[in-house]
């Protein structure tokens, strides 16, 4: 507030969380969330574009004040950063052409699966392949969601591990692929990332999330971009 601005990391290659519209303006659920936070703080919003893989490095190197970038809470990340109270949820899934018979993780054996490096989909896919699918499933990691999506859209891989919304967007934009969700691997709470030991900022963010869940503003953003309400227990 003293500086008059907040610098927020957003993944602009991960619709509908962050993206550019037809006039190259930043939009998406995370952009709207970041704008709401800046407005309530009474400061200017500065957005720094990140990918799934570099969200944590940008935060701990002080290049941004916070991360609002489809940022799921994981135990591994909690070792090096802090999170606010959750403001959303992210199901992570595996999608494939409807013609493929995949009813459980064992059906992934022998398949090549595209995923964005460093995302929760990457974490869950790695776990699923290691623990359930057998070692002969091939994980093909791309540097960001946009590149992974393009790889599947252009036929480099047929299977895609991603957030549910990303998999749905791929299917809608590429009807010829006839993609459908085959497996849901997990559902992660989504929160604002901040540096450790920033207790005052964390306290503010926790209260801010609670206030904007209860007044319906965060749920309105979620409904606008995902077509459904947040889980009822989050809104209590």
């Amino acid at each position: 507030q003293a500086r008059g601005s907040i610098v927020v990391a957003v993944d602009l290659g991960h619709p509908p969380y962050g993206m550019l519209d037809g006039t190259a303006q930043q939009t998406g659920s995370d952009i709207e969330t970041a704008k709401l936070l800046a407005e309530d703080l009474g400061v200017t919003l500065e957005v720094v574009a990140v990918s799934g893989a570099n969200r944590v490095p940008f935060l701990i190197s002080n290049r941004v004040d916070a991360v609002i970038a489809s940022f799921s809470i994981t135990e591994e990340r909690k070792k090096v950063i802090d999170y606010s109270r959750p403001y959303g949820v992210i199901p992570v899934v595996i999608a494939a052409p409807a013609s493929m018979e995949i009813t459980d993780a064992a059906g992934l054996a022998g398949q090549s699966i595209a995923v964005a490096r460093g995302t929760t989909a990457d974490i869950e896919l790695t776990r699923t392949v290691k623990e359930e699918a057998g070692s002969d499933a091939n994980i093909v990691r791309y540097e960001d969601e946009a590149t992974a999506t393009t790889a599947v859209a252009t036929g480099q891989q047929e299977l895609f591990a991603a957030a549910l919304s990303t998999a749905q967007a791929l299917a809608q934009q590429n009807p010829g692929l006839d993609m459908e969700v085959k497996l849901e691997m997990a559902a992660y709470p989504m929160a604002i990332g901040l540096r450790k030991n920033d207790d005052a900022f964390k306290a503010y963010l926790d209260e801010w999330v609670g206030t904007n869940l209860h007044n319906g503003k965060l749920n309105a953003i979620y409904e606008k971009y995902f077509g459904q309400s947040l889980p009822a227990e989050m809104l209590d």
Side-chain angles (χ1 to χ4, degrees), residues 6-20 25-38 45-56 58-59 63-71 87 144-145 190-193 225:
I6 183 170
V7 184
V8 178
V10 180
D11 186 347
L12 295 174
H14 191 189
Y17 301 96
M19 52 193 169
L20 299 178
Q25 297 299 303
Q26 297 171 347
T27 187
S29 62
D30 284 338
I31 289 290
E32 290 203 22
T33 301
K35 287 180 177 178
L36 180 61
L37 175 59
L45 172 64
E46 296 180 21
V47 172
V48 173
V50 294
S51 67
N54 66 18
R55 291 171 295 185
V56 171
F58 269 55
L59 183 60
R63 297 176 69 177
V64 297
D65 299 316
V67 175
I68 303 178
S70 54
F71 209 24
Y87 70 90
D144 52 40
E145 295 282 358
M190 177 172 63
I192 301 170
Y225 287 95

Side-chain angles (χ1 to χ4, degrees), residues 45-130:
L45 172 64
E46 296 180 21
V47 172
V48 173
V50 294
S51 67
N54 66 18
R55 291 171 295 185
V56 171
F58 269 55
L59 183 60
I60 61 178
S61 63
N62 297 311
R63 297 176 69 177
V64 297
D65 299 316
V67 175
I68 303 178
S70 54
F71 209 24
S72 304
I73 298 174
T74 71
E75 293 305 313
E76 195 67 24
R77 292 173 185 159
K78 285 167 67 175
K79 294 175 183 177
V80 292
I81 64 165
D82 270 342
Y83 287 98
S84 71
R85 172 178 171 174
Y87 70 90
V89 291
I90 303 178
V92 288
V93 303
I94 295 174
S99 60
M100 296 184 71
E101 291 290 334
I102 299 174
T103 57
D104 55 27
L108 303 176
Q111 303 289 349
S112 290
I113 310 155
V115 67
R117 186 185 307 277
T119 60
T120 47
D122 186 4
I123 294 168
E124 286 301 320
L125 179 60
T126 302
R127 179 196 60 78
T128 298
V129 167
K130 181 178 179 181

Side-chain angles (χ1 to χ4, degrees), residues 114-196:
V115 67
R117 186 185 307 277
T119 60
T120 47
D122 186 4
I123 294 168
E124 286 301 320
L125 179 60
T126 302
R127 179 196 60 78
T128 298
V129 167
K130 181 178 179 181
E131 296 179 4
E132 302 176 44
S135 59
D136 58 340
N138 180 34
I139 300 175
V140 183
R141 294 179 174 87
Y142 293 90
E143 286 308 308
D144 52 40
E145 295 282 358
T147 311
T149 301
T150 300
V152 179
T154 56
Q156 295 178 59
Q157 282 81 41
E158 289 188 293
L159 278 71
F160 185 38
L164 174 61
S165 57
T166 306
Q168 290 172 331
L170 173 70
Q172 292 167 2
Q173 293 164 10
N174 300 273
L177 296 178
D178 197 22
M179 297 287 283
E180 66 179 20
V181 172
K182 298 293 187 179
L183 303 173
E184 180 173 317
M185 297 183 288
Y188 281 81
M190 177 172 63
I192 301 170
L194 67 156
R195 285 181 286 278
K196 281 191 174 294

